[in-house]
Amino acid sequence: MQNFIHEPKIFYTDTGQPEGPPVVLIHAFPFSHEMWLPQVEVLNERWRVVTYDIRGFGRSDPGDGEFTIDQYVDDLFLLLDALQIEQATVVGLSMGGYILLRAFEREPGRFRALVLSSTKSAADDEAARTGRERAIDTIHRQGLRFYAEDFAKKVFAPQTFTLTPQIIDHQLEIIETHPPIGLQGALRALASRPDTTAVLDRIAVPTLLLFGEEDSVTPPALGRAMQGRIVGSELVVIPQAAHLCNLEHPEVYNAHLLSFLEGLGG
């Protein structure tokens, strides 16, 4: 099923088994719910699977383009409430992980388990904030396609450009459909997001960390540092994959995700 919740208008999909354990997937910047299609296909067999477009991306309303991470968290809770999901396993990749960590910090009881992928808990430092300001200017001056092609070089492994370029081409097409104001607002939200490192020590639900071996944006070392603070967590490093490890090697990503979910039971 595809639908919207309102105020703001947020597009979501609700598929799989209606009575199954709910799994919610939060996409990365600057993509959309479609980046999870390789995972949704396999999860649908047993779980209730919810994906959505973050405010300002895909079919969700960009509003005035002024966002914060806490507004993104509010949207997540609004979606869970609208779907009558009291507690879920939530998967967040990159920006999705930032949202997930802040959401857990605010309302830990809403989460049965966490999957943190290609993400980190630290806030942006000055260099990162400056980089986001440059990105905002690039989108304004040179357009989404130029920005997207440059961004892809940072988040996909070199071999993906050679072996499976269609994966990258599809994501570039999706980025081009976003309203520029949505991406620019997201960049500001990411630059101003709070540090959530302290919450890592308080995570007491099952947690899986999935990172790409060749990720230069969020290297596996960040995953190892997070694993060291989250009691009982599991870290998996996916070979020959970079930041978008769920797309570059979906069969490996899915195998570990399914194993984790099956281990939760119910």
Side-chain angles (χ1 to χ4, degrees), residues 13 22 42-43 57-59 83 86 106 119 138 142 152-154 163 175 185-186 194 200 211 215 225 238 252:
T13 69
V42 297
L43 293 176
F57 293 84
R59 296 200 228 171
L83 298 179
E86 294 184 4
R106 283 175 48 180
T119 195
T138 297
Q142 297 179 280
K153 298 172 187 175
K154 302 173 184 177
L163 300 176
I175 294 170
L200 300 178
F211 283 71
D215 187 358
I238 299 175
V252 179

Side-chain angles (χ1 to χ4, degrees), residues 50-260:
V50 176
T51 67
Y52 69 103
D53 288 337
I54 293 169
R55 181 192 297 224
F57 293 84
R59 296 200 228 171
S60 291
D61 189 355
D64 61 6
E66 296 296 327
F67 314 135
T68 66
I69 285 291
D70 276 296
Q71 285 177 315
Y72 292 150
V73 172
D74 291 342
D75 293 342
L76 171 61
F77 290 152
L78 185 64
L79 177 62
L80 294 177
D81 291 343
L83 298 179
Q84 298 183 319
I85 296 174
E86 294 184 4
Q87 191 177 61
T89 296
V90 182
V91 184
L93 193 149
S94 193
M95 176 175 68
Y98 303 156
I99 295 168
L100 177 52
L101 282 170
R102 179 58 177 153
F104 186 89
E105 187 171 46
R106 283 175 48 180
E107 295 190 32
R110 302 297 297 261
F111 302 95
R112 182 187 186 196
L114 309 179
V115 180
L116 297 165
S117 186
S118 304
T119 195
K120 59 184 177 180
S121 59
D124 275 5
D125 59 17
E126 185 175 351
R129 290 192 294 271
T130 299
R132 296 200 197 277
E133 286 298 326
R134 283 198 299 266
I136 290 169
D137 185 65
T138 297
I139 293 170
H140 176 71
R141 293 178 179 274
Q142 297 179 280
L144 283 179
R145 183 71 188 192
F146 181 90
Y147 172 74
E149 289 179 348
D150 182 64
F151 187 81
K153 298 172 187 175
K154 302 173 184 177
V155 296
F156 288 101
Q159 58 267 28
T160 303
F161 287 86
T162 303
L163 300 176
T164 51
Q166 68 276 11
I167 293 174
I168 299 170
D169 291 340
H170 180 59
Q171 296 306 314
L172 291 177
E173 291 171 3
I174 290 172
I175 294 170
E176 283 190 285
T177 68
H178 298 325
I181 191 175
L183 270 68
Q184 292 168 322
L187 285 162
R188 295 187 185 96
L190 295 178
S192 64
R193 73 184 189 277
D195 190 298
T196 54
T197 302
V199 78
L200 300 178
D201 300 323
R202 303 198 298 271
I203 295 175
V205 298
T207 302
L208 172 66
L209 300 127
L210 290 167
F211 283 71
E213 180 183 43
E214 299 180 26
D215 187 358
S216 61
V217 179
T218 51
L222 292 176
R224 285 189 283 272
M226 293 172 72
Q227 182 192 26
R229 299 189 66 154
I230 303 174
V231 175
S233 61
E234 174 189 0
L235 171 66
V236 175
V237 178
I238 299 175
Q240 297 184 317
H243 199 57
L244 275 296
C245 52
N246 73 303
L247 289 171
E248 293 182 292
H249 285 294
E251 68 289 344
V252 179
Y253 193 98
N254 291 350
H256 290 287
L257 179 59
L258 288 172
S259 176
F260 176 73

